[in-house]
Amino acid sequence: MAGWRPVQFFREVRTEGEKVTWPTRKETMVTSFFVFLMVAFCAVFFVIADQLILWAVTAILGIAH
């Protein structure tokens, strides 16, 4: 690692970090809400799909459940 200068590296990291457009608190809250909403929707969807598949396999194979 010839020529690697830690002080210069961290100075450049700080400079790049200042260029980042950080989301506002409101944007973060709205985005988080929709993420949780989609997770809940997907969870319900997969529970229903799992139960339908269980019912179909049980009906086809004649397994008493």
Side-chain angles (χ1 to χ4, degrees), residues 44-61:
V44 169
F45 171 79
F46 284 114
V47 165
I48 292 170
D50 183 55
Q51 291 302 310
L52 288 173
I53 292 169
L54 175 66
W55 173 79
V57 169
T58 303
I60 291 169
L61 298 179

Side-chain angles (χ1 to χ4, degrees), residues 7-22:
V7 174
Q8 180 183 358
F9 172 75
F10 286 111
R11 190 176 298 132
E12 290 174 4
V13 168
R14 182 176 177 163
T15 303
E16 290 300 318
E18 291 171 354
K19 294 179 185 177
V20 174
T21 304
W22 298 99

